[in-house]
Amino acid sequence: MSSWLQASNWLVMLPEMIIAFFALIILLVAAFTKDSEAPYPESLAITGLALAFISSYYIPEGVGYYGQVAVDSVSRTAFSIAILGGMLVLGVVPSQFGTDTMRSETSALVLFSLCGVGFMVTAQHLIMLFLGIELLSLPLYIMAGMRTRDPRSREAALKYFIVGAFASALMLFGMAIYLGANGDLLMNHFALSFQKNAVPPTLIFFAGWILISTAMLFKLGAVPFHMWVLDVYQGSPSSITAFMTFAPKIAAFFALAKMWPLGSESGLSTPISMMYLLSFLTMTAGNMMALMQRNIKRMLAYSSIAHGGYMLMAFLISGTEGIHALLFYLAVYALMNIGAFTVITLVAPSRDPELSIISLSGLAKTHTYLAVALAICLFSLTGLPPFGGFMAKFFLIKAVLASGNVYIALAAIFNSLLSAYYYLRVVLVMTTREPLAADSDELISPSAGFTSIGLSSRIALAVAIIGVVISGISPDFFARIISL
Amino acid sequence: MIQSFLSAFNNICAVVAQSTPSMNSWLIVSSAIFSIGLYGLLTRRNAVAVLMAVELMLNSAAFNFVIFNHYCKPSTVDGQIMAIFIIAVAAAEVVVGMAIFVALFRYKKTVDVNEMNLLKG
């Protein structure tokens, strides 16, 4: 028994084990206490995530479980970003669900989902990848429908479920073909087949590769496969939407990075031109469609598609530079989206439940701090200099230019200019328009909205905003925090 | 199209006659199941029927795993293990899906996917 434990190098999976353990504890505590006297499940969940985060610094790098998983600095950093984002989201969950009975379930599901992220970023075997993607997705389907009194939330859950199940069916079919092409399910056949001077991959290998990649592109909402993103982001509870914007993206990007040749490192031109086209279509279509949205959550959904397009550019860069730029981008992106969706969570109950952009008018007068926080997140999403979004785009585009892909870098810059219109329009609505009539009887003071919300959401929002600012002012320091 | 169906039919007949099925004939069966599932997913309007179609697709993938494992590398059991995992995960997926459908049905009194039109913009 002990020799098996040693041989399996089980310590590499310690963070995932801690997270799963705490999720089970939360479920047990919820089962044996009444809802009214339940302790705060989020604090238990955040404790578990903090332990997992600390432990991820100390676990050894290397291969574990007989080649099923491999932990390296990239996968560890990606997982740390997901864990930190999960902690912030759990801080917002209490203000979303209030005294509702769903809080322990939501906390446990967030933990299970993060466990799936850990499986996916460390997977070296397709069984692990499959289990990871299901462990990530199944809790997300449930959480999309967590706002039980709202029919739109249930509808979002249905749409997410059907699309997700379809994507995993495609992925499984591709994995079976991969097994037929290679004889086993280890993921290193991708890297071996895309080496320079390797034997050109067979057609059957390509078929499996395309199907598995398609499932990953579904998960991160790249353009031909993006239609579910809008409805799901709009219908889900806002705090859960914040989680959806980054957790599946981190997992899918780093699973894709293991199966896609980076830049010109393979001699083949097909993968490069495919990624070129995907990235261009994703960023352009996302930005074009975001221009005409009236609903702020749909606008942010399109913006997250567009950001996915920018991030896909990282696959055009050979070597580790692109992956590091992608990690930095994902960390900043997670913080910006958590900030924006936290503000939406906090202002939604008192305003239009439909959350049209117009319903934010006069937010700067009624909820000054929240309006400033949202404005910082939107500036950062645009890519304006003092904030993190600028540095993220700067590193990525610099690396793309260095790899010689000038046109796609220009397309990204023009797209950023275009995106300024719809981000800054929200800021304009918040500052220049008069508050709506429904708000006029509300207490008007700069701190309005802060007295009514929980301490934990205040802290989460503050941390997200500070992170966005620090990553813009001192990117090195920020990179050291997320252990790049 | 008809030619390929006929040749597939001939193939199956030949297989039955020899009673040693080749890998191709098994693959034809599993691809047919996958295509039926895909067709059902795209055409059915009842959400439960859509779920059944997805189950067909998952099962054809599990079938494929066993076929490829048996014919390409009979000394290992990777494919068979994957098939067992697929069965387990598909069960979990049905649980989640049916819960979502029940929650929707209690609100709408229907699970017709064409009626799901609250979210648009």
Side-chain angles (χ1 to χ4, degrees):
Chain A
M1 182 68 188
S2 62
S3 66
W4 180 85
L5 276 178
Q6 269 169 4
S8 68
N9 196 10
W10 64 281
L11 273 176
V12 292
M13 294 294 272
L14 190 61
E16 284 91 338
M17 287 181 194
I18 294 174
I19 291 175
F21 175 75
F22 270 84
L24 294 174
I25 293 285
I26 290 167
L27 286 182
L28 278 177
V29 170
F32 288 104
T33 50
K34 283 183 197 150
D35 290 329
S36 52
E37 62 197 37
Y40 293 106
E42 292 87 11
S43 56
L44 205 54
I46 291 175
T47 314
L49 288 181
L51 281 177
F53 181 73
I54 294 164
S55 75
S56 73
Y57 274 104
Y58 295 103
I59 57 169
E61 289 185 6
V63 179
Y65 290 95
Y66 305 100
Q68 300 259 338
V69 296
V71 176
D72 54 18
S73 65
V74 170
S75 73
R76 179 189 285 175
T77 310
F79 193 33
S80 310
I81 296 168
I83 289 177
L84 288 175
M87 286 162 86
L88 295 182
V89 168
L90 282 167
V92 189
V93 163
S95 356
Q96 175 91 57
F97 292 99
T99 54
D100 221 334
T101 52
M102 293 294 183
R103 282 169 51 191
S104 356
E105 285 85 345
T106 311
S107 312
L109 288 173
V110 167
L111 291 198
F112 280 128
S113 206
L114 281 171
C115 203
V117 175
F119 280 11
M120 274 180 81
V121 296
T122 54
Q124 287 297 315
H125 195 278
L126 287 181
I127 290 183
M128 280 306 281
L129 186 66
F130 167 61
L131 289 180
I133 204 168
E134 293 297 327
L135 192 54
L136 165 70
S137 306
L138 288 179
L140 280 178
Y141 305 149
I142 306 172
M143 285 193 285
M146 266 304 188
R147 207 166 50 187
T148 42
R149 283 189 214 87
D150 186 352
R152 278 170 305 183
S153 178
R154 299 177 196 178
E155 192 181 311
L158 176 81
K159 287 179 173 169
Y160 199 6
F161 172 75
I162 289 178
V163 174
F166 175 61
S168 49
L170 278 188
M171 181 186 68
L172 279 175
F173 205 77
M175 285 179 179
I177 294 173
Y178 182 88
L179 175 69
N182 297 311
D184 62 45
L185 287 168
L186 287 169
M187 282 173 80
N188 60 6
H189 292 294
F190 289 118
L192 291 176
S193 306
F194 288 125
Q195 267 171 354
K196 261 203 174 97
N197 311 323
V199 187
T202 52
L203 209 56
I204 184 168
F205 173 85
F206 262 119
W209 176 67
I210 290 280
L211 282 171
I212 302 173
S213 307
T214 305
M216 297 302 149
L217 293 171
F218 256 111
K219 287 289 161 208
L220 58 86
V223 147
F225 321 108
H226 68 290
M227 288 313 292
W228 62 272
V229 173
L230 316 161
D231 288 352
V232 172
Y233 281 19
Q234 188 193 351
S236 310
S238 302
S239 56
I240 301 304
T241 311
F243 187 68
M244 279 175 191
T245 54
F246 68 90
K249 267 209 173 70
I250 292 174
F253 265 113
F254 289 99
L256 207 55
K258 271 178 275 188
M259 59 180 71
W260 204 286
L262 296 173
S264 53
E265 72 183 21
S266 77
L268 306 164
S269 62
T270 325
I272 298 180
S273 35
M274 277 165 71
M275 194 44 90
Y276 217 95
L277 192 67
L278 265 174
S279 164
F280 178 73
L281 277 180
T282 307
M283 66 173 93
T284 313
N287 276 319
M288 290 293 174
M289 297 301 290
L291 288 177
M292 43 189 117
Q293 293 306 312
R294 295 203 184 86
N295 181 299
I296 183 148
K297 278 170 90 177
R298 281 183 96 83
M299 189 274 274
L300 285 171
Y302 272 117
S303 111
S304 94
I305 294 173
H307 280 275
Y310 301 139
M311 286 185 248
L312 280 175
M313 286 194 304
F315 290 95
L316 297 170
I317 306 161
S318 331
T320 56
E321 199 186 346
I323 291 296
H324 286 162
L326 178 63
L327 275 171
F328 189 86
Y329 203 119
L330 274 168
V332 176
Y333 165 85
L335 287 174
M336 298 185 292
N337 270 311
I338 290 170
F341 280 105
T342 306
V343 175
I344 292 172
T345 311
L346 297 177
V347 299
S350 66
R351 287 171 184 254
D352 183 14
E354 289 278 347
L355 280 167
S356 57
I357 292 176
I358 292 299
S359 76
L360 293 176
S361 21
L363 196 73
K365 290 187 185 107
T366 53
H367 303 72
T368 305
Y369 294 152
L370 290 182
V372 168
L374 184 54
I376 288 178
C377 290
L378 291 174
F379 287 144
S380 178
L381 282 164
T382 321
L384 288 182
F387 303 114
F390 170 74
M391 288 320 283
K393 272 186 187 142
F394 174 75
F395 288 139
L396 190 58
I397 292 177
K398 196 180 79 168
V400 171
L401 280 175
S403 73
N405 297 292
V406 179
Y407 293 114
I408 195 85
L410 280 178
I413 292 167
F414 280 121
N415 267 304
S416 303
L417 289 178
L418 194 65
S419 70
Y421 169 72
Y422 59 85
Y423 289 127
L424 300 186
R425 188 180 55 172
V426 178
V427 179
L428 205 65
V429 166
M430 289 195 301
T431 49
T432 56
R433 292 178 77 104
E434 286 302 308
L436 298 179
D439 280 333
S440 53
D441 51 345
E442 239 179 78
L443 186 72
I444 295 186
S445 74
S447 60
F450 268 98
T451 47
S452 56
I453 63 177
L455 180 69
S456 59
S457 343
R458 256 184 279 178
I459 296 172
L461 183 58
V463 170
I465 298 299
I466 290 170
V468 167
V469 173
I470 284 182
S471 58
I473 294 170
S474 168
D476 292 335
F477 179 66
F478 182 75
R480 215 176 310 131
I481 296 176
I482 59 169
S483 72
L484 266 170
Chain B
M1 183 82 172
I2 294 172
Q3 209 75 49
S4 64
F5 270 112
L6 278 180
S7 70
F9 184 71
N10 281 342
N11 208 342
I12 291 169
C13 288
V15 161
V16 172
Q18 294 166 5
S19 78
T20 48
S22 72
M23 183 161 117
N24 274 349
S25 28
W26 286 116
L27 286 180
I28 288 167
V29 175
S30 82
S31 310
I33 299 175
F34 188 82
S35 312
I36 294 168
L38 189 56
Y39 177 77
L41 180 86
L42 296 175
T43 54
R44 284 313 185 114
R45 290 163 60 197
N46 188 311
V48 180
V50 171
L51 183 59
M52 287 160 70
V54 170
E55 288 299 307
L56 271 185
M57 292 168 74
L58 289 178
N59 283 332
S60 86
F63 198 15
N64 250 356
F65 272 111
V66 178
I67 296 164
F68 277 126
N69 195 52
H70 180 78
Y71 283 98
C72 295
K73 214 171 186 185
S75 56
T76 62
V77 288
D78 279 26
Q80 272 93 334
I81 289 174
M82 191 68 169
I84 293 171
F85 272 112
I86 291 172
I87 293 167
V89 170
E93 220 164 64
V94 171
V95 170
V96 172
M98 291 310 278
I100 292 171
F101 298 161
V102 169
L104 259 172
F105 185 79
R106 274 159 51 186
Y107 162 71
K108 286 205 151 191
K109 301 296 171 215
T110 172
V111 283
D112 188 335
V113 288
N114 287 358
E115 302 286 313
M116 305 300 159
N117 47 16
L118 287 171
L119 297 166
K120 56 189 171 206

